Every structure is written in C-alpha cells, then in structure tokens.
Amino acid sequence: QVRLVESGGGLVQAGGSLRLSCATSGTSFSANTMAWYRQAPGKQRDLVASITSGGSTNYADSVKGRFTISRGNARNTVSLQMNSLKTEDTAVYYCNVQIIRSEYWGQGTQVNVAS
C-alpha cells in the first residue's frame, strides 16, 4: 500500500522560511509528477507547485519566486522550500504523487504564518 508522509510544517513569522518534505513508501515504481497542494479554511485545495520526473517545474503565480519544489535523492521524495512567507500562505499543505495511473495524497501538514 502506497503511503505518503509529510513533515516540516509549523508556525513561522511573516518573512520567514519553512521546508516541507514528503516521503513515499510501499511501492517499487518511480513517481511521475510529484506536487504540493494547499487548502486554506473555507477554500478549495489548490496546486502550489509540481515537478515532473524529468525535473520540469510549475508554480502557482502566488508563490513564484518564493517557493522552490525539488525531488530528493531518495526515490519518490519531494520537498518544498518556502521563503518570504506571507500570512496568506497559511494553509494545510498536501503532498500529491502520481505513480503509473494512480494518484496518492498525504495526510497534510499545517503551515501557519503569523503577522
């Protein structure tokens, strides 16, 4: 059974940085696209950033220049470096992994940015 475990959320002051990590277990296949989504209270879950198996990245306009997504050296790991955090970045962040034709989600990690 494929399992995603996220880590790195927490409370940070505006202007600060956090790094989120996601590790996948339970599969011998390499992930295709890996991504981070976020969901603020009362809002829909939106794509923050994604990275393909070839390393191509895509970012939401709101995080361009501040966030960086990368794949780790360990297979099927992905990180999100978040700099210059703003209060509007407060949300639950979810890791998303596509493996073959299936899609998997992590349990989410809370990021709170205080003013």
Side-chain angles (χ1 to χ4, degrees), residues 3-16:
R3 183 168 177 249
L4 277 61
V5 177
E6 298 133 335
S7 61
L11 174 64
V12 66
Q13 293 290 318

Side-chain angles (χ1 to χ4, degrees), residues 5-62:
V5 177
E6 298 133 335
S7 61
L11 174 64
V12 66
Q13 293 290 318
S17 299
L18 281 175
R19 185 177 181 88
L20 305 182
S21 296
C22 174
T24 306
S25 61
T27 179
S28 60
F29 295 100
S30 294
N32 298 323
T33 298
M34 305 184 78
W36 289 93
Y37 286 73
R38 67 186 181 188
Q39 187 168 21
K43 295 188 177 181
Q44 66 181 24
R45 188 175 298 187
D46 291 325
L47 175 68
V48 175
S50 65
I51 184 168
T52 68
S53 56
S56 295
T57 58
N58 180 50
Y59 295 93
D61 288 342
S62 60

Side-chain angles (χ1 to χ4, degrees), residues 72-95:
N73 291 328
R75 188 164 59 93
N76 293 346
T77 60
V78 64
S79 296
L80 184 69
Q81 177 67 41
M82 306 186 293
N83 299 329
S84 302
L85 282 160
K86 304 175 180 179
T87 55
E88 51 263 45
D89 294 319
T90 293
V92 178
Y93 284 71
Y94 296 90
C95 179

